[in-house]
Amino acid sequence: MGSDEGFDMVPRLTRGSQDMLKWRCFIDAIRERYQDDAQVKFHDHYIEFTAGEHPTLPVEGHKFLRFSSRITGHTASKTNVWDYLRGVRHIAKSMFGSRIRPWAELADSWGFYDWRDVHDSRRSFLNAGDAVTTVPRFATADSGSQVDYPIRCMNDKLYEALEIPGKGKGLVARCNIRSGTRILCEKPFLILRNAPPEQMQREVASQLKTRSKEEQRQFLSLHNNFPGRHAFAGIVKTNALPCGPGAGKGGIYLEICLINHSCLPNCNNSWNGETQHETIHATRDIFAGEEITISYRNNDPTPSRLEHLRTNFGFNCHCELCSLPLEELQASDHRRRQIQLLDEQVGDSSTIMTEPLVSLRACQALLKLLVDEYGTHDMALIPRLYYDAFQVAITHGDEARAKVFAERAYKARVACEGEDSPETKRVRGFMQDPASHLAFAIGSKSWKTSRTAQPKNLSVDEFEKWLWRH
């Protein structure tokens, strides 16, 4: 059998400029150290150590999960593979610090990643340029589809709470997670109404007395951006998530409050008023080792977004978006300003009533901008946008298009909130009967159609032109 040893990168590197620069420096250091070593081969897409089981390092850091080899047996001994493992680990540790997680099977210490994910990541750079690509395995909310995957939603968490360099604690994916998967559903540890610091301090202290010592310790370990006399109130102000849009109360969660921010998050958080839980859904495919993130501040351009994060949460954001080159960051800011303007235009009721085509075209333009900026159809603004388009159509009696928009709003809502979300259920009702909406034909009947009047046998482009009235 033999025993393996090596190290994992946890969390895995992103495509952000800081991570890319650090990985390039690491690869340069490896090249400098081993440039005259006959057992080290420098290929276009990876560096191969022809010792033991030939551990490799990709040129692109976001593809790296593990550097390891079998260290027992004749081949391992003859090629001195352990010296390479130790040398590369030393350089990696000096550059990436606690992100490097050593393990050794002889010491009953095991890697963070499942071997199948490691092999998939290796194939992504060993076979770079090949026409055949590896299809990664994903854990999903559907337990029946997980037969070939090591993580099962009903038994195991899809994430692990870990120290994230420069961020404190965060949640990291243990496996590949499919977009739309519910990662977390958590009941609030505390629910508190908005109140002055003194009153909030007393209320939290009173509620904490009823909790276990371990729960108290977890609460006190949450980040506090407002230290001082009212430390409990500061923790609440820093971490509380509103119990629904515009709610006068917020919830504290011992796990969800560990989720860090990204301006391009891979998850959406949502309050379910019926079940009284906060849910976290993946809004894009998340790969093993990626940090799970939500947005603390959604759509603002960079200056106001960064100022809000510094003032309210006490950190300078260096996420993948914020670390873009200046020209690309300015393009993002322009899109976000356009998103804000179009969002206001879409919500203007007088335009919906008198110029519905203007409102509908604004919805379509906003959809394109959102996908261009966020790169996904599964973010929280998408279902709201489709619902806005539904309202434009139904206000003028167009049940056929309203039904399509409601179907899209429903699917998008399921992806970022789940089937049990009250808003998902409401939109599903409109999908089944568009005319049940209170705004049905109150603007005019100039667009009147039946809900079954969608055209058949159109191409995708032709159907979209019909849908958006081009």
Side-chain angles (χ1 to χ4, degrees):
M1 286 287 291
S3 295
D4 285 46
E5 184 172 320
F7 67 85
D8 292 358
M9 179 78 76
V10 185
R12 73 190 295 163
L13 298 177
T14 69
R15 296 173 186 261
S17 60
Q18 285 193 331
D19 280 354
M20 290 171 63
L21 177 60
K22 192 173 288 189
W23 183 258
R24 281 199 298 270
C25 291
F26 168 67
I27 291 296
D28 288 345
I30 294 294
R31 290 181 188 277
E32 183 176 352
R33 174 162 179 170
Y34 295 106
Q35 60 184 341
D36 298 323
D37 192 319
Q39 289 193 167
V40 182
K41 309 297 182 184
F42 297 93
H43 303 278
D44 289 342
H45 301 288
Y46 61 94
I47 300 172
E48 178 185 13
F49 293 75
T50 59
E53 294 180 308
H54 290 220
T56 53
L57 295 169
V59 172
E60 297 176 288
H62 67 275
K63 295 181 178 180
F64 176 72
L65 294 184
R66 173 174 294 169
F67 187 78
S68 68
S69 174
R70 186 156 297 170
I71 59 168
T72 55
H74 176 70
T75 300
S77 176
K78 180 181 177 181
T79 57
N80 295 316
V81 68
W82 195 83
D83 287 340
Y84 291 112
L85 295 177
R86 182 179 58 181
V88 172
R89 184 182 69 199
H90 177 75
I91 297 172
K93 193 76 175 176
S94 70
M95 292 192 173
F96 299 102
S98 61
R99 220 164 177 166
I100 300 303
R101 289 181 46 144
W103 53 269
E105 292 178 353
L106 284 174
D108 289 330
S109 174
W110 312 94
F112 181 84
Y113 299 107
D114 181 85
W115 277 108
R116 284 173 284 191
D117 293 332
V118 173
H119 294 323
D120 285 348
S121 74
R122 281 171 54 86
R123 280 192 288 269
S124 73
F125 59 82
L126 292 178
N127 302 328
D130 290 358
V132 179
T133 57
T134 300
V135 179
R137 301 168 181 83
F138 285 90
T140 70
D142 175 13
S143 60
S145 66
Q146 299 176 61
V147 178
D148 192 37
Y149 206 82
I151 301 295
R152 295 181 179 273
C153 293
M154 58 279 201
N155 297 327
D156 299 311
K157 292 179 179 179
L158 301 178
Y159 57 88
E160 186 172 328
L162 300 171
E163 288 294 328
I164 310 294
K167 293 184 177 182
K169 271 200 169 180
L171 301 188
V172 175
R174 292 175 58 200
C175 59
N176 298 338
I177 303 172
R178 178 73 71 188
S179 179
T181 299
R182 176 170 291 181
I183 297 173
L184 231 169
C185 179
E186 187 176 1
K187 187 176 181 179
F189 172 67
L190 301 174
I191 293 183
L192 299 146
R193 292 198 168 275
N194 295 334
E198 298 87 348
Q199 182 181 338
M200 179 72 73
Q201 183 79 5
R202 291 193 298 270
E203 178 61 29
V204 175
S206 175
Q207 292 195 40
L208 282 178
K209 290 178 182 178
T210 66
R211 305 309 175 112
S212 70
K213 294 294 184 183
E214 175 58 23
E215 288 175 326
Q216 292 175 11
R217 185 196 65 76
Q218 288 179 272
F219 171 78
L220 292 172
S221 71
L222 294 175
H223 177 58
N224 182 3
N225 190 43
F226 306 95
R229 287 177 50 230
H230 306 109
F232 294 168
I235 291 174
V236 171
K237 186 175 181 181
T238 305
N239 294 278
L241 293 171
C243 297
K249 59 183 181 180
I252 293 292
Y253 306 85
L254 298 182
E255 287 196 298
I256 288 177
C257 286
L258 298 178
I259 299 176
N260 287 312
H261 165 85
S262 172
C263 300
L264 289 175
N266 54 29
C267 289
N268 178 63
N269 63 292
S270 173
W271 170 254
N272 188 315
E274 290 184 1
T275 64
Q276 297 289 292
H277 284 79
E278 188 81 8
T279 62
I280 304 294
H281 286 79
T283 53
R284 65 166 174 79
D285 292 344
I286 301 173
F287 291 94
E290 276 194 74
E291 186 180 3
I292 291 166
T293 57
I294 58 176
S295 175
Y296 300 172
R297 184 75 170 183
N298 240 344
N299 301 315
D300 289 352
T302 304
S304 56
R305 186 174 74 243
L306 296 185
E307 178 59 29
H308 174 85
L309 293 172
R310 277 192 294 267
T311 301
N312 292 278
F313 303 101
F315 66 87
N316 293 311
C317 187
H318 299 291
C319 72
E320 190 172 339
L321 175 66
C322 292
S323 59
L324 284 174
L326 180 60
E327 186 175 339
E328 294 179 44
L329 195 58
Q330 289 173 338
S332 169
D333 287 343
H334 176 71
R335 285 191 295 269
R336 290 187 176 224
R337 292 188 186 96
Q338 291 300 111
I339 286 170
Q340 289 177 333
L341 291 172
L342 283 170
D343 194 39
E344 292 176 9
Q345 185 177 342
V346 164
D348 183 62
S349 57
S350 63
T351 304
I352 292 174
M353 294 291 286
T354 60
E355 297 181 275
L357 192 58
V358 172
S359 294
L360 195 64
R361 296 287 168 77
C363 287
Q364 187 181 24
L366 180 54
L367 175 63
K368 183 181 185 306
L369 277 171
L370 288 171
V371 174
D372 287 347
E373 177 64 11
Y374 293 96
T376 175
H377 279 81
D378 289 342
M379 58 167 295
L381 288 176
I382 298 294
R384 197 183 85 186
L385 181 146
Y386 279 129
Y387 180 68
D388 287 337
F390 163 83
Q391 289 187 103
V392 174
I394 206 63
T395 297
H396 296 272
D398 189 348
E399 290 188 67
R401 289 177 177 82
K403 180 176 172 61
V404 176
F405 287 130
E407 287 173 346
R408 294 185 179 186
Y410 167 73
K411 290 177 182 177
R413 189 71 65 177
V414 168
C416 64
E417 294 183 9
E419 288 275 8
D420 59 353
S421 159
E423 190 60 27
T424 301
K425 295 176 182 178
R426 191 170 79 94
V427 174
R428 182 173 59 196
F430 295 139
M431 177 181 74
Q432 295 165 346
D433 183 11
S436 65
H437 194 277
L438 292 175
F440 176 58
I442 64 169
S444 73
K445 294 184 179 180
S446 59
W447 288 1
K448 185 170 176 57
T449 59
S450 72
R451 64 183 177 187
T452 59
Q454 294 92 0
K456 309 296 183 184
N457 302 319
L458 296 183
S459 68
V460 172
D461 288 344
E462 289 171 337
F463 187 85
E464 291 301 308
K465 287 179 180 179
W466 168 83
L467 181 63
W468 297 101
R469 289 185 168 270
H470 284 286

